[in-house]
Amino acid sequence: MPELPEVETVKETLKHQISGLFITKVVVYYDKMMSQAVAQALSGQQILTMNRLGKYIIFNLTNLDLISHLRMEGRYFIKTDEPVLKHEHVVFHLSNGQTLRYHDTRKFGTFDLKTKDQTYTTPPLSKLGKEPFDLNPEDFYNRLKQSKKPIKTALLDQTIVSGIGNIYADEILFASHVQPLRRADKVTKKEATWMIERGKGILESAIEAGGTTIRTYVSSLGVTGRFQLTLMVHQRKDEQCYICGDQIQKVVVGGRSSFYCKTCQKR
DNA sequence: TTTGCCTCCTGCGGGC
DNA sequence: TGCCCGCAGGAGGCAA
Ligand SMILES: [Zn+2]
């Protein structure tokens, strides 16, 4: 599932591919994905630029903002007049004859259309906490102090810190030597600081990796922003820890699969 | 108030 | 080989 780095890559790619173009028509093939009213309102809007906040992509239009969330499987493809595929649910027709296709096998992605004054002052964006890049470790620590839920769940809570998903949450906890089930209010200031500082490094590396593979993905697999990065623990159940050799454990925390090394993450 | 469970949707893998 | 079942997963909604 795309997290902050992958979404950043998608946003940057789209920015270079479609900025300046006008949306001439929007066709919806799965009604629940986008209302007719929204589709019609998009006609005639120019795509001025693309922005991102947390895991949300923002199409900055003439006098509206379209907020797109990819959830687990959402992808964008830029095509011309090829047949519309089974999982292409929304097709944006553009002023240069190309089409932007929103592809989503699970149909979990969302679109929200906002007037400019409502974009950041109403949900979903108004509820977002800061990204790790902007979050002061001390503020993060103080916020964790107020929460009794497991730290893994807190890291996934977009109102506490935005942009982190299941994969990077596991990686950040490993890098900070903290077990996923530890209560958030039991995390020390040192550990909270590690989570922010090392979290930033992990996300930055992933963004950088995305930048290097961007062309391959645009041409072959669409604008997914996905790329292979070496993961220390996520999805590595029963494999050896790269640091100590111990077996990676899997636990379910808040309904989410979580992976950790019980030796490197003692508490 | 805060927390946690359920829901959406469909491809995939395991079991027989 | 093919069918059936259960699972995974962001975030919103709702119940406790
Ligand atoms: Zn280890």
Side-chain angles (χ1 to χ4, degrees), chain A residues 67-79:
Chain A
I67 303 170
S68 163
H69 196 301
L70 306 173
R71 293 290 175 92
M72 290 86 69
E73 311 260 6
R75 302 173 170 200
Y76 281 102
F77 291 84
I78 292 166
K79 300 186 175 181

Side-chain angles (χ1 to χ4, degrees), chain A residues 174 241-246 248 261-265:
Chain A
F174 178 81
C241 172
Y242 294 128
I243 302 299
C244 74
D246 199 359
I248 301 300
C261 171
K262 65 183 189 301
T263 302
C264 295
Q265 296 159 268

Side-chain angles (χ1 to χ4, degrees), chain A residues 15-74:
Chain A
K15 184 172 166 181
H16 289 109
Q17 303 270 313
I18 63 174
S19 283
L21 300 177
F22 285 80
I23 298 170
T24 55
K25 182 175 65 171
V26 176
V27 182
V28 179
Y29 294 89
Y30 178 66
D31 290 345
K32 293 171 77 172
M33 204 77 238
M34 178 185 286
S35 73
Q36 280 309 309
V38 168
Q40 284 175 22
L42 289 170
S43 279
Q45 293 282 312
Q46 185 179 21
I47 301 162
L48 304 177
T49 188
M50 303 291 302
N51 298 306
R52 179 192 60 74
L53 190 60
K55 300 181 216 171
Y56 294 85
I57 295 169
I58 304 160
F59 291 74
N60 193 314
L61 308 173
T62 309
N63 45 35
L64 295 168
D65 287 324
L66 179 66
I67 303 170
S68 163
H69 196 301
L70 306 173
R71 293 290 175 92
M72 290 86 69
E73 311 260 6

Side-chain angles (χ1 to χ4, degrees), chain A residues 27-187:
Chain A
V27 182
V28 179
Y29 294 89
Y30 178 66
D31 290 345
K32 293 171 77 172
M33 204 77 238
M34 178 185 286
S35 73
Q36 280 309 309
V38 168
Q40 284 175 22
L42 289 170
S43 279
Q45 293 282 312
Q46 185 179 21
I47 301 162
L48 304 177
T49 188
M50 303 291 302
N51 298 306
R52 179 192 60 74
L53 190 60
K55 300 181 216 171
Y56 294 85
I57 295 169
I58 304 160
F59 291 74
N60 193 314
L61 308 173
T62 309
N63 45 35
L64 295 168
D65 287 324
L66 179 66
I67 303 170
S68 163
H69 196 301
L70 306 173
R71 293 290 175 92
M72 290 86 69
E73 311 260 6
R75 302 173 170 200
Y76 281 102
F77 291 84
I78 292 166
K79 300 186 175 181
T80 48
D81 55 1
E82 293 95 321
V84 175
L85 301 180
K86 180 182 177 187
H87 296 299
E88 292 176 347
H89 306 306
V90 182
V91 176
F92 302 77
H93 293 257
L94 305 173
S95 51
N96 65 350
Q98 290 185 315
T99 54
L100 174 69
R101 319 274 181 103
Y102 178 69
H103 181 288
D104 190 344
T105 34
R106 293 283 186 279
K107 299 178 174 172
F108 270 21
T110 61
F111 287 99
D112 283 286
L113 188 62
K114 302 281 185 180
T115 53
K116 298 275 178 183
D117 58 323
Q118 302 285 299
T119 304
Y120 298 97
T121 56
T122 59
L125 300 191
S126 65
K127 300 172 80 172
L128 291 183
K130 290 182 176 173
E131 298 182 356
F133 306 113
D134 306 316
L135 186 52
N136 179 301
E138 179 108 16
D139 292 342
F140 178 57
Y141 171 71
N142 290 330
R143 181 69 183 77
L144 292 184
K145 272 285 160 211
Q146 300 167 232
S147 177
K148 292 182 171 63
K149 50 187 163 190
I151 182 62
K152 169 70 183 276
T153 306
L155 280 179
L156 294 176
D157 183 341
Q158 304 298 301
T159 68
I160 295 177
V161 53
S162 63
I164 298 171
N166 205 27
I167 298 172
Y168 294 118
D170 282 356
E171 296 299 306
I172 289 168
L173 288 174
F174 178 81
S176 306
H177 309 298
V178 175
Q179 288 191 4
L181 277 164
R182 178 112 68 92
R183 267 173 52 158
D185 60 356
K186 302 296 184 192
V187 168

